[in-house]
Amino acid sequence: MSEERFGEFVLVRRHGDGHVAELALDRPKVMNAVSSEMARSIGAACSALAGDRDVRVVVITSTHERAFCVGADLKERNTFSDAELVRQRPVSRGAYTGVLELPVPTVAAVHGFALGGGFELALACDVIVADRTAVVGLPEVSVGVIPGGGGTQLLPRRVGAGRAAELIFSARRVEAAEARELGLVDVLVDEGRDREEALALGERIGANSPVGLRAAKRALRLGQGLDLRAGLEVEDAAWRAVAFSGDRAEGVAAFNEKRKPQWPGE
């Protein structure tokens, strides 16, 4: 396993053959509250991972034992003038769009608190694995703002408009069992096993064709919100991108020869 730091608060680990990248939120003194510096580091790490063709899946984890991420650093925000808040906005957005726009599958490993911007980082991922200590929510209206890291758009895509409205307007926190029932998280595991299970899922995903994974993610994301006919055209374009690839030829050959594929990644 290799490690690389992005600033003080973000650690990227490459597991095994490097196809699974772990982006660890590492600001434990404040439960990973996202400061401007940390937001820049998340964006920089995502940019580096997006450009690395060896990476097939990204797993986002936390080094804090009682929290995934408690959202924006409100102590820092309290010191901002209006002009400083305006200048900080693109920095903050860069962290969330960095995760959202990763071209490979993404998995969040959530334990403890995942609130506000912390939950939005998880919502930006394709799959959320949570342990039974998880508490999630978007409480922004309780402090006079709105979910501004994608929450108003990502949450209704997960749970529907009415459920998202109830959760956002009430600002309530949701514990793990209910979160799984409502679809706020996808996989519920025993306490303390979120990272282990998320990385194991990452390994299973990363064993598949890198060309296929990127194309499948693109089709899933671009097709959201489209009518069926338009969505099927998105899918067809993604199919054409992989149908004549080296990965497709290798995958079919490996299946027929009853062996593990050696993906060329092209």
Side-chain angles (χ1 to χ4, degrees):
M1 181 175 67
S2 64
E3 295 186 349
E4 179 182 6
R5 277 212 169 266
F6 289 81
E8 185 178 355
F9 304 128
V10 173
L11 176 64
V12 171
R13 301 184 179 105
R14 309 298 180 100
H15 291 269
D17 52 14
H19 298 321
V20 178
E22 177 186 2
L23 190 161
L25 307 175
D26 188 30
R27 198 183 179 207
K29 290 183 179 180
V30 289
M31 292 188 173
N32 291 326
V34 181
S35 63
S36 298
E37 181 184 350
M38 187 172 179
R40 288 190 191 93
S41 296
I42 293 170
C46 288
S47 179
L49 293 171
D52 188 338
R53 300 298 295 187
D54 286 335
V55 173
R56 299 180 188 174
V57 59
V58 175
V59 179
I60 300 183
T61 67
S62 163
T63 63
H64 194 283
E65 63 183 18
R66 293 191 296 111
F68 175 72
C69 174
V70 294
D73 185 339
L74 295 184
K75 288 185 177 179
E76 179 191 63
R77 294 283 177 90
N78 195 45
T79 69
F80 287 166
S81 67
D82 288 351
E84 288 170 331
L85 185 61
V86 169
R87 288 196 295 271
Q88 196 268 351
R89 175 61 175 163
V91 175
S92 176
R93 286 193 71 186
Y96 301 103
T97 57
V99 175
L100 188 63
E101 294 177 359
L102 281 166
V104 297
T106 48
V107 181
V110 173
H111 60 266
F113 298 111
L115 301 172
F119 188 38
E120 287 173 305
L121 286 173
L123 288 172
C125 294
D126 299 302
V127 181
I128 302 175
V129 175
D131 82 356
R132 296 186 183 279
T133 70
V135 178
V136 305
L138 297 175
E140 283 88 346
V141 298
S142 70
V143 293
V145 292
I146 70 165
T152 67
Q153 305 306 304
L154 294 170
L155 189 59
R157 283 168 166 78
R158 268 190 166 266
V159 300
R163 179 66 69 193
E166 182 265 319
L167 292 166
I168 291 171
F169 296 159
S170 69
R172 72 183 178 95
R173 299 180 178 189
V174 182
E175 295 187 358
E178 185 186 4
R180 176 64 186 89
E181 182 181 339
L182 297 180
L184 299 174
V185 304
D186 302 301
V187 181
L188 188 60
V189 300
D190 290 338
E191 180 176 345
R193 291 185 57 84
D194 57 293
R195 177 177 178 268
E196 180 182 350
E197 295 290 345
L199 287 170
L201 175 58
E203 291 288 350
R204 292 195 296 274
I205 292 171
N208 295 313
S209 158
V211 171
L213 289 172
R214 287 171 180 252
K217 175 160 182 171
R218 190 163 59 248
L220 284 164
R221 287 291 176 90
L222 293 179
Q224 286 182 358
L226 301 179
D227 63 48
L228 180 59
R229 185 180 296 274
L232 290 172
E233 290 304 314
V234 168
E235 180 181 83
D236 187 64
W239 179 86
R240 291 175 186 277
V242 301
F244 309 104
S245 68
D247 273 15
R248 181 261 178 189
E250 168 62 10
V252 172
F255 177 84
N256 283 289
E257 295 166 14
K258 296 181 173 57
R259 60 174 174 81
K260 183 178 178 180
Q262 302 295 317
W263 304 114
E266 59 186 21

